[in-house]
Every structure is written in structure tokens, then in C-alpha cells.
Amino acid sequence: MSIYLNKNSDIVGRASFQGKLYNVTWFPGAVLSNNKTDFVYGTIFKMNHSESVLDVLDGYEDFDANNPEFSLFKREIITATLQDGSKLKAWIYLYNQPINKLKEISSGDYLKEIKKK
């Protein structure tokens, strides 16, 4: 999917949002948090053709707009903060299943965690 994103979008930069990150299985799942000390870190992409790119991403993330309550992830717009402190609105896929048995990724940065292993 990273190859697809690189071909069909431009990197805006690293960013964060107020949330928590969990290790689901071989992939992470993020949820929103009201705790001001919880952050999830990632990369913002500007899509070249957003409708077609979102269609591909929706399939990859198992998001069904017609049945969002049964989707593995849900797609929402959040406010993200870039490293320079500027804010922007961005689409994000939030984990849409119970998290009570999942291990939290305390750093909030999945790439950082997998590099440790």
C-alpha cells in the first residue's frame, strides 16, 4: 500500500493527532482519545485523485461506507498537527473493534515500534 500511496499522492509531512495506538495483529489500530497526553504519529499524504485513492484505501482498510458499524476500520476527518505546529484536516482510518484485549503501543508511533524488533 505504501507503493500505491507514493504513486498516487504527495507526502505533506510527519504529523500527530490526539489518540491511542494499539497492536491489533500484524498491523496497528488507532482510536481517538480525550487525554491530552495521548498522541498517535504518522505521515500525512495529499492524494492526487482523492475519490479513487480513497476507494482503494477503503478496500484495504476493510471500510464499508454502507455498513460502517461492521467495518474493521472507520474513516473520519480529524485535526492533525504537523511537526512545525500547523494544523490541518485529514482523513484517518480509526480502529472500529474492541480494544480491551489489545496491547497499547505507548510511543504512539508504529514505525518506531517495528524498528525496535
Side-chain angles (χ1 to χ4, degrees), residues 1-97:
M1 189 50 61
S2 63
I3 293 169
Y4 177 81
L5 278 174
N6 284 322
K7 281 184 170 182
N8 292 283
S9 60
D10 299 310
I11 293 177
V12 174
R14 294 281 294 163
S16 63
F17 71 93
Q18 196 172 323
K20 286 188 170 200
L21 191 62
Y22 294 90
N23 188 36
V24 178
T25 56
W26 56 271
F27 59 89
V31 297
L32 297 177
S33 173
N34 291 323
N35 187 333
K36 296 194 182 292
T37 62
D38 293 335
F39 291 97
V40 175
Y41 300 89
T43 303
I44 300 284
F45 291 86
K46 181 177 180 185
M47 298 173 282
N48 297 330
H49 305 282
S50 59
E51 192 170 314
S52 60
V53 172
L54 284 173
D55 283 344
V56 171
L57 289 173
D58 286 351
Y60 179 78
E61 299 290 353
D62 193 18
F63 170 69
D64 182 352
N66 296 317
N67 284 311
E69 64 275 6
F70 297 109
S71 296
L72 183 61
F73 286 84
K74 58 186 175 179
R75 179 166 38 99
E76 292 186 12
I77 295 177
I78 54 102
T79 299
T81 304
L82 293 167
Q83 287 180 320
D84 67 4
S86 62
K87 296 187 182 305
L88 55 79
K89 297 289 186 185
W91 285 111
I92 189 166
Y93 289 91
L94 296 169
Y95 191 60
N96 196 34
Q97 301 298 315

